[in-house]
Amino acid sequence: MNRTKPVVESPSEEEARVPASERAYRRLKQLILDNEIAAGSQMLELEAAARLGMSRTPVREAMVRLEQEGMVELRPRHGMRVLPISPDALAEIYDILTALEGMAAESAARKGANPDQLAALQQAVDEMEEALAADDLLRWSQADARFHRQLVELAGNRRLASIVEQVSDQAHRARLTTLRLRPKPVSSNRDHAALVAAIRDRDPQKAREIHEQHRRRAAEMLVALVRDFGLKQL
Amino acid sequence: MNRTKPVVESPSEEEARVPASERAYRRLKQLILDNEIAAGSQMLELEAAARLGMSRTPVREAMVRLEQEGMVELRPRHGMRVLPISPDALAEIYDILTALEGMAAESAARKGANPDQLAALQQAVDEMEEALAADDLLRWSQADARFHRQLVELAGNRRLASIVEQVSDQAHRARLTTLRLRPKPVSSNRDHAALVAAIRDRDPQKAREIHEQHRRRAAEMLVALVRDFGLKQL
DNA sequence: GCATCACTTAATGCATACATAAATGCATCC
DNA sequence: GGATGCATTTATGTATGCATTAAGTGATGC
């Protein structure tokens, strides 16, 4: 059991208007996404409360939300445990993302995108290109995340965007951890560029196919990596 | 503002081991799904607590969960408001269900189903057939729901099943309310039967296409109905 | 050394109290 | 009649206390 040493974190002034439970939720989630609370490790309500400088009540509310999102499990007397992501879980997650983002791509191409939206997508592609040229994988991954988020938003389905974000967050640590273990994502960015073109050309079938294949390939590689390296605590 | 008159509901013995917050969640959700708390109406924490015979603490936890599921919104000093489902929201919901269930159908056909699983699907189809012959629409809708749930479970993706359930629940009242406004779902059940055959034949593409078209048609009809009848509070 | 039992500790679930601030009601003015 | 200001009421967000019981620890017996 990995117990985090209490470090009291007081709210800054600008945060003071945000309810404590929301602050707790955001902070705990960030700690999980950043792998600062390791997968498989546990944190008691009282520990989190001490660390965040508040009472147990808002902390508990934050933990319930995180449990609802599939990021953690809550067990009486054991606190909040960050759920590790197994290869099988990763495959599940990416199956869902493939279906939903494929639908988003199709929707975006059907609805069409205005010049600003297309420019933003293209800008993300360009930035990925630059990041690859500069061997800056972190920058690449940030632009990649932005691209995917923008794509989903283009579908104009608020529920979809929310679900995709939650599901994607579950795999975040796995992506981060394997970032330097993967081959340089050159063909990945070719897919991105082709997808932008399909959206511009208003070709829903093509957009969907490109993106589903793209997502499937990425998933296969990621799942295989996690399996091959025996990574268990992601 | 529609205020529900407090009726105290004490837990039965078999429920006593279920935490109060879980009981509150289930009860409130059922009230929403059954349209006993009307869309658009509000219920204060204290009202719900009085009605459920517990303190505000577990009630609040239940409400936070329901908010996370997109069933309600919580506003300080206004309590929990059941979110109405507009035609646009319905379209969003069904787009998501179409993508996810289409993926489930493809997955089920790819993995294959054992004889028990196939029999269960076929049994649901048969029961829908009987219900149609007996003009028992409620029975039909229950068998229909069962069919869809079983289909999604066949994909063997636990996260998928959970997401589909949540998204589907958001549209539950709309389905219930329009049940008798829709034409008799004869062709719907033909789709179901064809899907079972595609799964049995292990034809993923066909399964996916059948089911996506089925879902799309159902969505179009439902959305049009809600629009045409000017139904706002679903 | 291992299993069992009794006792103690402590983490959660929940109830209650308190502080804050939004909503409401009322009086006054134009 | 409508707008404004002020006082009062009240619903939430949170802190704290209490009851329950699971988990941990130590002693004992085989």
Side-chain angles (χ1 to χ4, degrees), chain B:
Chain B
M1 181 151 54
N2 181 16
R3 295 203 178 238
T4 311
K5 174 167 173 168
V7 179
V8 180
E9 305 171 357
S10 323
S12 62
E13 266 203 33
E14 69 207 41
E15 289 180 319
R17 261 182 269 158
V18 179
S21 60
E22 180 69 26
R23 276 188 282 120
Y25 167 74
R26 291 177 190 173
R27 187 76 183 111
L28 289 177
K29 188 162 180 180
Q30 199 59 56
L31 288 171
I32 293 166
L33 289 178
D34 291 345
N35 214 20
E36 295 201 33
I37 312 178
S41 69
Q42 300 179 166
M43 183 183 263
L44 301 177
E45 288 180 4
L46 265 186
E47 288 171 353
R51 183 166 184 179
L52 301 180
M54 61 182 76
S55 76
R56 280 175 49 220
T57 311
V59 161
R60 179 171 181 78
E61 194 171 304
M63 286 180 173
V64 167
R65 287 172 64 188
L66 288 168
E67 184 180 43
Q68 196 103 341
E69 292 185 3
M71 300 290 285
V72 304
E73 74 177 0
L74 301 185
R75 281 176 64 213
R77 315 195 62 81
H78 291 76
M80 172 186 86
R81 176 169 167 268
V82 178
L83 287 171
I85 302 293
S86 66
D88 287 346
L90 217 37
E92 283 192 5
I93 288 162
Y94 272 88
D95 279 348
I96 293 164
L97 289 179
T98 302
L100 292 179
E101 287 193 13
M103 189 264 275
E106 180 179 347
S107 219
R110 181 164 286 128
K111 286 165 167 290
N114 69 43
D116 285 350
Q117 289 166 332
L118 279 171
L121 279 182
Q122 190 58 49
Q123 208 271 331
V125 173
D126 294 341
E127 181 158 346
M128 283 188 261
E129 219 49 64
E130 287 165 25
L132 287 178
D135 271 333
D136 188 342
L137 282 182
L138 185 63
R139 188 175 167 209
W140 174 85
S141 77
Q142 286 164 350
D144 181 64
R146 200 166 82 237
F147 180 87
H148 284 265
R149 197 180 318 120
Q150 283 166 349
L151 170 68
V152 169
E153 276 163 15
L154 271 194
N157 182 330
R158 183 176 54 86
R159 283 170 175 76
L160 177 67
S162 167
I163 293 168
V164 167
E165 181 180 5
Q166 276 188 37
V167 175
S168 185
D169 282 350
Q170 291 175 12
H172 176 82
R173 286 195 314 275
R175 284 195 296 275
L176 200 63
T177 306
T178 58
L179 185 56
R180 293 177 208 282
L181 303 179
R182 297 183 238 155
K184 209 170 165 180
V186 176
S187 64
S188 176
N189 215 32
R190 281 206 292 269
D191 290 342
H192 293 146
L195 176 56
V196 174
I199 291 168
R200 186 185 296 120
D201 297 343
R202 293 186 161 228
D203 188 338
Q205 279 302 108
K206 191 166 179 182
R208 182 173 173 166
E209 275 163 24
I210 290 169
H211 196 62
E212 283 188 350
Q213 280 175 22
H214 165 67
R215 262 297 185 227
R216 248 183 242 118
R217 271 197 297 264
E220 278 161 15
M221 179 169 45
L222 199 55
V223 171
L225 254 193
V226 169
R227 272 208 171 105
D228 291 349
F229 280 79
L231 300 171
K232 292 285 160 56
Q233 303 287 91
L234 289 177

Side-chain angles (χ1 to χ4, degrees), chain A residues 97 100-101 152 159-169:
Chain A
L97 289 179
L100 291 179
E101 287 193 14
V152 169
R159 283 170 175 78
L160 177 66
S162 166
I163 293 168
V164 167
E165 181 180 4
Q166 276 187 37
V167 174
S168 185
D169 282 350

